[in-house]
Amino acid sequence: MEMKRLREEIIQQLACLQGDWMPLEINGEQAALVVILPRDEEFAKSGPLRLLTGRLGDEWYPVPIEKVTHIESFQKKTFFYTEDGQFCVSSTLKELDQRLPEIFLRIHRSYIVNTASILRISRDFSSNLVVTLVDGTELPVSQSYVNDVKCMLGF
């Protein structure tokens, strides 16, 4: 029983790594091959984003990153949200995910959230995680990001 608990704990810790891993067996013993990917050079040079400039109608607004509650990709467009509204941005979700500060968390292929804007995390009728933001917005957590969410938020 102790080995099973230890194995589960190791798997959870490996899931938190910024890289990839694969279980293997060496001389009859269980092991893991871990590959930690280097940071993107462009990101390292320019650092995390401090603001996002979004379009609202025919005007552009620079918004400090702390005011962004979440970012969404919808119908090949990317939007970010603040308490002042929804803004369109020219970057893709993938590009933003690479440049956002660590306070932002990818929870779905279509959503990134500012963890400071999370009010609660619950389960829906299918036992999937749902993130509720301080403004009442509810966003699904896809199965592929559940471990990342649990690691970052500590549950």
Side-chain angles (χ1 to χ4, degrees):
M1 188 64 172
E2 180 69 25
M3 284 301 288
K4 183 179 179 184
R5 188 180 65 74
L6 181 61
R7 184 178 300 125
E8 288 172 1
E9 188 174 317
I10 290 170
I11 288 172
Q12 185 172 358
Q13 292 298 318
L14 288 171
C16 293
L17 291 174
Q18 294 294 323
D20 206 356
W21 67 280
M22 179 177 75
L24 10 129
E25 195 171 301
I26 300 174
N27 297 331
E29 297 287 323
Q30 290 196 353
L33 172 64
V34 178
V35 178
I36 299 176
L37 304 171
R39 290 190 131 194
D40 184 302
E41 285 184 33
E42 182 180 324
F43 175 84
K45 289 179 186 173
S46 57
L49 290 171
R50 294 189 182 142
L51 58 86
L52 284 177
T53 302
R55 185 172 42 100
L56 187 59
D58 291 334
E59 299 178 318
W60 293 88
Y61 296 88
V63 177
I65 202 73
E66 309 82 46
K67 293 189 175 195
V68 175
T69 59
H70 66 288
I71 305 168
E72 174 184 28
S73 176
F74 180 71
Q75 295 182 347
K76 298 188 180 192
K77 291 186 179 179
T78 306
F79 303 92
F80 68 87
Y81 297 81
T82 69
E83 61 182 48
D84 297 324
Q86 170 186 324
F87 299 85
C88 187
V89 66
S90 57
S91 302
T92 66
L93 208 60
K94 182 178 180 179
E95 291 167 347
L96 291 173
D97 194 24
Q98 292 173 349
R99 298 265 332 268
L100 287 166
E102 290 182 3
I103 195 166
F104 284 85
L105 176 63
R106 186 81 176 253
I107 63 166
H108 190 279
R109 69 182 170 133
S110 299
Y111 300 108
I112 298 173
V113 298
N114 181 340
T115 56
S117 297
I118 296 175
L119 177 65
R120 70 175 169 269
I121 301 167
S122 56
R123 294 199 179 270
D124 65 9
F125 62 91
S126 301
S127 292
N128 295 315
L129 291 181
V130 175
V131 170
T132 303
L133 303 179
V134 291
D135 65 2
T137 302
E138 291 185 346
L139 303 172
V141 177
S142 67
Q143 289 299 315
S144 53
Y145 291 99
V146 166
N147 282 337
D148 293 343
V149 170
K150 286 184 175 183
C151 286
M152 183 152 181
L153 301 177
F155 73 98

